[in-house]
Amino acid sequence: MEYIGEHLLPGQIGHFAIILGFTTSLLAAIAYFFAAQKRNLPEYQSWRRIGRWAFTIHGLSTFTVIYCIFHVMLNKYYEYQYAWAHVNDDLPFHYTFPAFWEGQEGSFLLWSFWHIVLGWILIATAKKWEAPVMSAFSLVQFFIGSMILGVYFGSGESEIHIGSNPLMLLRDVMDAPIFAQADYVEKINGNGLNPLLQNYWMIIHPPVLFLGFASTIVPFCYAIAGMWTGEHKAWLRPVTRWSLFSGAILGLGILMGGAWAYEALSFGGYWAWDPVENMSLVPWILLVAGIHTNLIARSTGYSIRSTYLFYIFTFILVLYSTFLTRSGILGDTSVHAFTEMGLENQLVLFIMTFLLLGLGLFVKRYKTIPAPQKEESTPSKEFWMFIGALVLLFSSILITVSTSLPVYNKIAELFNPAHEALNIKDPVEHHNKYQLWIAVLIGFLSGFAQYLRFREFNWKKYASKFTIHSAAALLIAGVLTYLTTQWIRVGAWQYLLLLFSAFFAVVSNIDYLITFLRGNLKAGGSALSHIGFGLMVVGIVASGLNKRHISHNKFAQQNILDAESLEKNVLLMRGEPLFMNGYLVTYERDTMIGNERIFEVNYDKLDKNGQVEESFQVFPVALYNNEVTKVAAFNPSTKRYLDKDIFTHIANLPSVEADAQARKAREDSLNYQLFEGLIGDTIFTSSSYAVIESVNRQPSHPDYVPQEKDLTIGVKVAFRQVEVDTVWYAEPMLVLRGNLMYNYPAQINELSTKVRVSEKIIERYFPTDEQLDYTGFRFTEGQQVNFNGYQITFDGFDLKPTHPDYETVEGDIVVGAKLSIVSLESGKQYQARPIYLIRNNRPFNLKSQLDELGLHFRFLNIDPNQKTIEINIAQVAPERAKVPIEIADNSFRSDFIVLEAIIFPGINLFWIGTLLMLFGLTLSIFYRRQRKAAAA
Amino acid sequence: MKKSHIIALIVVAVSIGLMLSLTGDVNTYANFEQATESGDRVKIVGQLSKDKEMYYKPEEDPNYFSFYLKDDVGTERKVVLLSEKPQDFEMSEQIVLTGSMKGEEFVATDILLKCPSKYKDEEIYIKKEQSEI
C-alpha cells in the first residue's frame, strides 16, 4: 500500500546514523587500542588520528539520531512509534524533553550524549592518557550503541533482536486496522506524556543524574589505562579532578531525585529506600570511598590497589543499576522501574564484559602495583581514612545485597523452579538499622581523621594537640546534642549516639577549618563536605524521627482498629473547618486549570487560648490524566519554615470526583423520584420539602458551556427542612443540542440530595404547534376577550419589540403585540409579546408563551384597513404545565477531600547539609593543595 | 601479626555477622494460611478478587479500605487496608501486602501494586472531530 502523509526521511537518516555511530564507536575503540599499544612508537600518531576521527564521527552520528527523534517528536509525526508513544497534540514544547527520556531508548541516548561530551573533553585534555582511556571509553559507547540498534536475527520463536530502535514506524511495530487506510497518519493522535512526569523536575533531574552516571566512566577508564600502561602512580593525579566532578554531579542528581519526590510526588519524604534510589546511591558511595583512597595514594603511595577497585566497581555498579532499573526485574519491589523490553541479556553481557575487563586486568597486574613495604602508622591520617573507605564499602555492600534479592530469586528459580521468592520484610527499617551504624562511624572518623596528619612520623609531639582538639570537639558536640533533645524527640540511645557523632563531625571540621587551615576556604573543600555530612545526618534524625502526621482528629475519628490504625488521613468537608493538632484546617475551594485541579486549603494556627496566631494557605493539586477523565496523581503543597515544613497532600477525592466512570456509575445508581408541580407548589421528599420557584429559559450551570442553537431550560428549586432556617437552592438544567439531550443535575451536599430536570419537560415546555389547539381572535386596540378564565387585552403595538428568538436583520418589518392577561380566578396580571414580521416579503411570526399558565400566543396577521390584528391563543392542559423534576435524596456528599498533612522538623538541615557536601566536592576540583611541597 | 591482617579479620568477622543478621530480615512471601498460623507480620502476594465487594467510604472513615484478595494458593480472604484507597487499584495485576491476620481479616498497613505498563494495552487514539467537544 502507498501511504499518504508519512515523513520517512528523518527515519532513514536516523537509521543510517545509528549504524554509523555504532560502527565508528567500534572503530574508535580498535584504533585507540593500537594507539595505546604503540604509544612509544611512530605509528602512535596515525592510530590516534583514526581514533579521534572515528570518535568524532561517532559523536556526530549520535547527535544526529537525537536530532531526528526530536524532529519527529516536535513535529508530532505519529507515524513514528516513539513520537506516538510519548507525545501528543496538546503537549507543550518544554515537555518534549521529558517525553524524550521517558522511554528507554531516549534515556540511553541521553547517557550516550553525556559520554560523547565528556569524551571530547578528554580528547582535548587527556594528553598521553588519551589513547588508553578513549579505547575503553569507546568500547562502552559500542555497547550503549547496541541498545538502540534494533537488528533482528532469525524469525518466529527463535528470533533474536539486538537493541530497540527508537525510529521505528508505528505500522511496523503494531498491527491495527487503521493501517489499512492510506491516510492513517492524519487520523491518529499520540499517547502523550504520562501526567506524573509533566513536571519541571522531570526536565532538570534526569539530565543531571545521567551526567552523574555518565561521568563515572572517566575514573573507570583512567583505572583501566593505569593498569594497562603499568603507570600505577601517574594516573592518580589527572583522575582526581574527574572523580570529584563525578561525585558532585552524581550526588546532585540523586539529591534532585529526593527533592522531586519530596516536593512534587506524594511519597511523603525525600528518601524511601526504593531499589531504584538505592542503586543510584551505591555507585556514589563507592565513588566517595574511591576519592578517599585516591587522596591517600597520592599523598602516601598506599591504597593504590583499593583505588583501582573502587573506581572499577563504581562504574560496574552504575551498569548494574542500569540493569536493575531497565530489566523489569524490580517489578515486585520498586514503584518506579522501567518495564521489560527484552534487553536483559544484552545488559548482562554489557556488565560482564566490563567486570571481566576490569578485574582481569587487576589480577594480571596485581603483583606490579606498588605498595609500600612498611605498614601505615596507626595514628596517621591515611590509616583512618582507609578505615573510613572500608566502612563506606560495607555500606554499599549491605545496600546492594538487600536490593539484589529479586536477582537472587530469579537465579535461584532457574535452578529450582519451586524456589520461594525472598524479600525484605520492612525495607525502610532494615536499611535504617544498618546505615545508622555506618553513619555513626563515618561521623566519628571524619572528625578524628581530619585532625591526624599524613605519614605521621612524630606522634609523640603531635598527640597532645590532637587530644586537646578532639576532646574540645567531643565536649561541644555533647552540648549540642543535649540542646537538640530539647528541640526534638530523639528517643533511643542509638539515635542519640548518631546525633552526637554527627555533631562531632560538624564541630571538629569547623575547628579544623579555622585553626588548621586558618580559615582558608579554598583549601577547605574536604572540611566543608564533612560539615555538610554532619548537618545532613542531623537533618535526617530531626525530620525522619520527628516526622509527625498532624492530619488526625481523635474525636472525629473513633477508629475501630485504634491500636494499629495509622491515622494518617482526615476528611475535610468544603467550608467546614476541622481542628487537628493545633491547627484549624479548612478546605476552602478548588479550581480546575487544564488538567490540574488546584485545592485551596487554609490553615489557622491556634494558640493556647484558641486565638488565631498565624494563617496560611497551601495549594495541593489533583492531576488528571490527559483525557481529564480520571485522577492520575496527587501533588503535594508545602509550607516552609526555617525550622520545619508542613507538607500537605490530598490522599483521595470522592470517587465521583476522581473518576468519570465512577461518576456515571453513581449517577446510575441513584434512586431518583419524579415530582411534578406548578410553579410555587411545594413538594415533599423523605427528608425535606421543596418549592419550585421558577423555570428559566436562560439558565446557567457550572459544567455547562453554552453553544449556539442550544435549547436550554432550568428549574430553580428551594429546599428547606423543618425547624431549620437555611434555604438551599438547586438549579438543575437540561440542554437540547440537535437531537442530543444533556442533563446537568444539581447537588445539595448538605442534604445529600441531587436534583435534575426530568426529560418530560421537553414536550411540555417546547410543544410543537400540532400539540396545541389554537383558537383565533381578532382584536382592535384596547379590546378585551375572555379565554379559559383569563381576560386578555390588546394594549397596542410595540414597534421595537424584543424576543428571545428574534435577531434583527436589515430590511425586516417587525411589530409586536402588547397583550396583558388577568387571571379571573386569582386576579394576577401577566404580559405577553408575540411578534409578527415580514422578512424578504414573506410573513413570519414568533410565539410568546407564559410557562406558569401554559398559555401560548401567536401574532398571525395585521389588517391595516380595519385596524385589527389576528391572534391565536392556546392553553396546554393544566397537568401538562406542571414542572417535572426528579429528586434523589440518597446521593452521597461529594464536596470533601481526604487530606494527609505531615510536619517535617529540621528538614532544611538535610538540604543545607547535602548541598554543602556537594559544594565541598566542587571546591576541591578547583583547589588541590600542593601536597608535593608539603611532603618534601 | 600485621595490622592489615587484624583489619582483614575484623572485616571478615563483621561481614559474617552482618550476613547472618541480614537473614533475620528476610522472609518468603506468605499465604493466608501461614499468616493465620503464625500470627506474625508477613508479606502476602495475591490478586484482587474483582467480583467481590470493594469498600471505601472516606465520608465514614478515610483510613479504612477493604477488598478481597486471592493469595497464590487460591485462598480468598477479606483484607482491610488502614489507609486510603490507592490510585489505579482496580487495574493492578498483582498486589503485595504487609500486615497480619486479625481473626478472619488480614489487616494490612502497607501495599504495593504492580500495574500493567501504560502502553501495554495499546490502542491507537483517533483524533477527535473538530465539531465534537
Side-chain angles (χ1 to χ4, degrees):
Chain A
M1 174 178 282
E2 196 63 34
Y3 288 104
I4 305 164
E6 287 185 335
H7 306 81
L8 298 179
L9 188 64
Q12 286 155 352
I13 295 172
H15 281 288
F16 175 72
I18 287 172
I19 305 286
L20 184 66
F22 179 67
T23 42
T24 45
S25 63
L26 185 62
L27 180 63
I30 292 168
Y32 272 126
F33 174 83
F34 284 110
Q37 289 295 69
K38 320 232 169 198
R39 55 190 173 276
N40 300 320
L41 300 172
E43 294 104 295
Y44 169 73
Q45 291 291 348
S46 50
W47 280 119
R48 191 182 66 169
R49 195 177 319 119
I50 300 173
R52 281 183 172 181
W53 273 107
F55 190 85
T56 305
I57 295 169
H58 161 74
L60 294 176
S61 308
T62 308
F63 285 12
T64 308
V65 178
I66 294 171
Y67 177 82
C68 288
I69 296 175
F70 267 98
H71 182 73
V72 302
M73 288 174 92
L74 284 172
N75 289 298
K76 324 274 178 185
Y77 292 161
Y78 300 124
E79 56 268 41
Y80 289 95
Q81 187 269 340
Y82 206 77
W84 169 79
H86 300 291
V87 294
N88 63 8
D89 286 351
D90 309 326
L91 196 73
F93 167 76
H94 57 277
Y95 286 138
T96 313
F97 295 92
F100 173 73
W101 44 69
E102 179 191 37
Q104 291 225 29
E105 298 89 341
S107 65
F108 272 123
L109 281 164
L110 176 61
W111 190 13
S112 191
F113 170 85
W114 285 126
H115 273 172
I116 289 159
V117 172
L118 295 171
W120 281 338
I121 297 173
L122 280 169
I123 288 176
T125 60
K127 300 196 179 78
K128 71 165 180 170
W129 293 102
E130 178 187 342
V133 166
M134 289 309 294
S135 178
F137 200 115
S138 306
L139 193 62
V140 174
Q141 284 301 85
F142 174 72
F143 275 88
I144 296 179
S146 76
M147 300 294 168
I148 55 161
L149 205 51
V151 174
Y152 294 76
F153 297 105
S155 61
E157 283 292 303
S158 62
E159 188 182 76
I160 299 168
H161 70 131
I162 296 177
S164 167
N165 186 325
L167 283 162
M168 293 293 275
L169 290 176
L170 185 57
R171 59 180 159 89
D172 289 337
V173 183
M174 269 175 68
D175 219 2
I178 193 154
F179 299 123
Q181 303 175 26
D183 59 346
Y184 80 95
V185 169
E186 63 185 49
K187 293 188 172 155
I188 57 176
N189 194 357
N191 275 309
L193 179 63
N194 185 339
L196 273 175
L197 305 180
Q198 293 186 19
N199 186 294
Y200 69 97
W201 282 106
M202 194 53 199
I203 302 175
I204 53 176
H205 162 59
V208 176
L209 186 66
F210 270 90
L211 176 57
F213 282 144
S215 59
T216 61
I217 195 183
V218 185
F220 173 79
C221 288
Y222 265 103
I224 296 287
M227 295 187 288
W228 186 348
T229 57
E231 298 191 43
H232 298 297
K233 281 187 169 166
W235 72 285
L236 292 168
R237 209 179 124 77
V239 79
T240 316
R241 194 179 285 234
W242 284 100
S243 309
L244 288 166
F245 168 74
S246 184
I249 292 291
L250 182 55
L252 185 64
I254 298 169
L255 182 65
M256 284 167 96
W260 175 26
Y262 176 69
E263 196 173 87
L265 304 173
S266 48
F267 294 175
Y270 44 82
W271 196 260
W273 292 112
D274 184 276
V276 171
E277 299 171 351
N278 296 351
M279 292 323 289
S280 62
L281 179 66
V282 167
W284 186 79
I285 295 176
L286 284 173
L287 184 66
V288 169
I291 290 170
H292 283 84
T293 54
N294 189 344
L295 293 175
I296 298 173
R298 281 183 58 190
S299 302
T300 65
Y302 292 104
S303 297
I304 297 178
R305 283 176 187 150
S306 40
T307 308
Y308 274 130
L309 288 177
F310 278 128
Y311 284 161
I312 291 169
F313 276 100
T314 299
F315 181 66
I316 297 298
L317 262 295
V318 166
L319 298 185
Y320 182 60
S321 151
T322 307
F323 166 75
L324 284 185
T325 46
R326 287 164 191 266
S327 63
I329 207 163
L330 293 179
D332 278 356
T333 49
S334 171
V335 288
H336 43 196
F338 283 99
T339 47
E340 234 165 297
M341 262 193 65
L343 298 177
E344 300 76 36
N345 296 334
Q346 248 177 295
L347 285 163
V348 171
L349 187 69
F350 190 5
I351 300 172
M352 284 307 171
T353 306
F354 287 92
L355 185 64
L356 288 178
L357 179 70
L359 284 188
L361 211 52
F362 181 76
V363 171
K364 197 163 169 238
R365 293 283 195 260
Y366 184 82
K367 286 259 161 64
T368 66
I369 301 172
Q373 282 302 304
K374 188 175 157 292
E375 287 213 299
E376 302 100 322
S377 80
T378 312
S380 69
K381 197 170 206 155
E382 59 268 29
F383 179 72
W384 291 104
M385 266 172 88
F386 181 74
I387 299 291
L390 273 186
V391 173
L392 290 176
L393 175 66
F394 265 114
S395 165
S396 57
I397 291 175
L398 278 166
I399 299 172
T400 310
V401 168
S402 313
T403 311
S404 298
L405 271 182
V407 180
Y408 167 78
N409 287 335
K410 201 78 160 193
I411 295 170
E413 252 168 53
L414 287 179
F415 294 102
N416 171 18
H419 169 75
E420 284 193 75
L422 300 176
N423 62 77
I424 305 281
K425 266 186 241 164
D426 186 344
V428 174
E429 188 199 307
H430 163 83
H431 287 289
N432 283 346
K433 187 170 77 186
Y434 291 110
Q435 300 306 319
L436 179 136
W437 293 107
I438 303 284
V440 168
L441 290 173
I442 296 293
F444 284 123
L445 284 169
S446 65
F448 287 123
Q450 198 70 280
Y451 289 131
L452 293 168
R453 299 189 292 186
F454 278 116
R455 298 169 157 188
E456 184 53 65
F457 40 85
N458 200 353
W459 176 244
K460 272 184 190 148
K461 197 176 161 209
Y462 186 69
S464 62
K465 189 177 182 189
F466 172 82
T467 316
I468 290 168
H469 279 275
S470 301
L474 285 171
L475 190 71
I476 298 171
V479 173
L480 288 173
T481 308
Y482 172 76
L483 291 176
T484 309
T485 58
Q486 303 302 305
W487 169 48
I488 52 169
R489 192 168 40 84
V490 179
W493 64 272
Q494 290 95 329
Y495 296 119
L496 273 176
L497 185 65
L498 178 62
L499 206 56
F500 178 61
S501 89
F503 274 126
F504 176 67
V506 174
V507 173
S508 54
N509 277 287
I510 291 175
D511 174 34
Y512 178 76
L513 198 59
I514 296 168
T515 53
F516 287 68
L517 298 177
R518 306 198 185 288
N520 182 357
L521 274 180
K522 277 194 259 169
S526 109
L528 288 176
S529 282
H530 291 115
I531 295 168
F533 172 79
L535 289 177
M536 177 188 85
V537 172
V538 175
I540 290 172
V541 172
S543 62
L545 277 183
N546 288 272
K547 159 181 163 175
R548 193 160 58 90
H549 275 94
I550 52 172
S551 49
H552 56 89
N553 180 316
K554 291 212 172 68
F555 304 103
Q557 284 163 274
Q558 304 251 317
N559 213 311
I560 21 164
L561 298 142
D562 45 356
E564 274 211 52
S565 170
L566 300 176
E567 290 201 329
K568 290 201 304 200
N569 307 325
V570 288
L571 186 91
L572 283 182
M573 297 286 177
R574 184 164 54 216
E576 292 178 21
L578 185 76
F579 182 76
M580 53 190 215
N581 286 283
Y583 294 91
L584 200 60
V585 184
T586 318
Y587 155 34
E588 301 278 4
R589 59 184 70 81
D590 59 81
T591 331
M592 196 81 188
I593 298 176
N595 64 341
E596 287 192 344
R597 187 161 165 188
I598 300 158
F599 293 80
E600 182 184 328
V601 178
N602 185 70
Y603 280 70
D604 285 330
K605 191 179 192 329
L606 302 183
D607 65 13
K608 281 175 198 139
N609 306 320
Q611 297 300 308
V612 178
E613 211 174 275
E614 186 204 354
S615 278
F616 62 88
Q617 270 100 36
V618 291
F619 302 92
V621 168
L623 191 65
Y624 285 76
N625 61 6
N626 295 331
E627 295 81 38
V628 202
T629 52
K630 206 167 182 303
V631 169
F634 295 110
N635 291 349
S637 170
T638 303
K639 167 74 179 172
R640 295 176 194 288
Y641 294 91
L642 209 56
D643 64 331
K644 64 169 183 272
D645 277 7
I646 297 177
F647 172 94
T648 308
H649 95 105
I650 294 179
N652 219 319
L653 287 178
S655 55
V656 292
E657 298 296 325
D659 185 348
Q661 261 183 327
R663 185 195 295 249
K664 193 177 175 306
R666 169 70 60 82
E667 192 63 33
D668 291 347
S669 76
L670 286 180
N671 186 13
Y672 277 110
Q673 273 185 303
L674 178 69
F675 293 90
E676 293 177 287
L678 295 168
I679 288 169
D681 281 3
T682 304
I683 51 183
F684 294 89
T685 72
S686 59
S687 61
S688 54
Y689 63 100
V691 177
I692 301 171
E693 296 248 314
S694 61
V695 172
N696 184 358
R697 283 172 190 272
Q698 264 95 42
S700 63
H701 187 282
D703 296 341
Y704 169 61
V705 184
Q707 275 190 30
E708 242 180 281
K709 292 182 183 164
D710 276 358
L711 274 181
T712 57
I713 188 155
V715 178
K716 186 174 181 187
V717 189
F719 282 82
R720 287 180 179 82
Q721 271 185 320
V722 184
E723 291 180 6
V724 179
D725 286 338
T726 321
V727 184
W728 294 276
Y729 290 100
E731 295 178 60
M733 66 178 283
L734 205 64
V735 177
L736 261 179
R737 185 173 292 163
N739 292 323
L740 297 170
M741 193 182 65
Y742 298 92
N743 216 325
Y744 293 91
Q747 163 111 344
I748 300 174
N749 280 306
E750 290 84 351
L751 303 177
S752 297
T753 296
K754 209 161 186 183
V755 192
R756 70 183 181 200
V757 182
S758 165
E759 303 167 14
K760 286 184 178 177
I761 206 166
I762 298 293
E763 57 177 51
R764 291 190 191 173
Y765 278 78
F766 302 103
T768 55
D769 273 9
E770 291 87 66
Q771 291 170 317
L772 296 169
D773 186 14
Y774 282 106
T775 314
F777 291 92
R778 237 170 233 288
F779 287 93
T780 52
E781 201 168 313
Q783 190 182 341
Q784 286 183 352
V785 299
N786 279 353
F787 177 81
N788 284 8
Y790 298 98
Q791 190 181 65
I792 299 162
T793 315
F794 171 44
D795 294 333
F797 292 103
D798 180 358
L799 297 176
K800 283 186 175 170
T802 55
H803 189 283
D805 296 340
Y806 176 66
E807 275 175 52
T808 316
V809 173
E810 229 181 88
D812 277 0
I813 300 168
V814 59
V815 64
K818 292 196 227 173
L819 300 174
S820 56
I821 300 104
V822 179
S823 166
L824 295 174
E825 195 186 333
S826 68
K828 268 192 170 175
Q829 294 206 2
Y830 302 89
Q831 301 284 328
R833 291 275 183 285
I835 282 180
Y836 177 78
L837 72 132
I838 295 171
R839 181 175 290 176
N840 301 330
N841 297 323
R842 289 179 57 190
F844 294 92
N845 68 72
L846 292 168
K847 92 176 167 187
S848 170
Q849 69 188 82
L850 293 170
D851 290 331
E852 293 111 301
L853 310 177
L855 285 174
H856 294 250
F857 302 89
R858 273 193 186 283
F859 186 173
L860 289 186
N861 211 344
I862 306 177
D863 188 337
N865 299 325
Q866 300 186 12
K867 297 197 170 172
T868 57
I869 59 167
E870 209 176 308
I871 301 272
N872 265 4
I873 306 177
Q875 187 180 26
V876 293
E879 75 277 1
R880 299 200 50 160
K882 283 182 172 170
V883 182
I885 54 170
E886 292 172 322
I887 300 176
D889 55 8
N890 63 337
S891 83
F892 292 99
R893 296 190 68 151
S894 60
D895 62 334
F896 63 84
I897 53 177
V898 179
L899 190 89
E900 183 176 20
I902 311 173
I903 292 191
F904 288 97
I907 196 167
N908 282 337
L909 283 173
F910 172 78
W911 303 120
I912 292 168
T914 39
L915 286 173
L916 192 60
M917 192 155 77
L918 303 178
F919 175 72
L921 285 168
T922 315
L923 200 64
S924 304
I925 302 173
F926 300 105
Y927 186 90
R928 281 163 300 141
R929 280 196 295 160
Q930 298 300 311
R931 292 179 195 282
K932 266 183 191 165
Chain B
M1 205 166 173
K2 279 169 79 179
K3 213 158 43 209
S4 56
H5 293 158
I6 299 171
I7 293 171
L9 269 180
I10 294 173
V11 166
V12 169
V14 173
S15 307
I16 292 171
L18 284 175
M19 288 304 145
L20 284 179
S21 80
L22 205 63
T23 53
D25 284 1
V26 172
N27 215 343
T28 56
Y29 291 110
N31 54 42
F32 284 121
E33 200 183 317
Q34 292 160 341
T36 313
E37 276 170 24
S38 71
D40 291 342
R41 233 173 106 74
V42 289
K43 271 191 182 173
I44 286 190
V45 189
Q47 275 102 40
L48 174 68
S49 306
K50 292 197 176 163
D51 48 336
K52 288 276 176 62
E53 193 202 4
M54 272 184 269
Y55 186 87
Y56 183 62
K57 291 271 153 60
E59 48 273 56
E60 287 169 14
D61 183 350
N63 295 314
Y64 182 98
F65 170 49
S66 76
F67 56 97
Y68 285 84
L69 186 91
K70 208 176 264 172
D71 69 12
D72 46 4
V73 291
T75 322
E76 194 177 59
R77 286 283 181 279
K78 187 178 178 185
V79 174
V80 172
L81 178 69
L82 296 173
S83 184
E84 75 278 1
K85 181 181 171 185
Q87 286 294 301
D88 286 334
F89 183 77
E90 292 85 351
M91 280 168 60
S92 65
E93 285 177 335
Q94 197 184 54
I95 297 171
V96 184
L97 293 166
T98 314
S100 55
M101 291 298 289
K102 289 266 155 67
E104 282 298 285
E105 291 178 349
F106 185 81
V107 178
T109 51
D110 212 0
I111 190 165
L112 196 115
L113 303 174
K114 192 178 178 186
C115 288
S117 153
K118 191 185 164 204
Y119 302 112
K120 241 176 209 167
D121 265 336
E122 300 202 319
E123 51 178 301
I124 296 180
Y125 289 100
I126 309 293
K127 272 187 191 167
K128 287 177 184 168
E129 294 293 323
Q130 283 301 313
S131 59
E132 264 181 70
I133 304 302

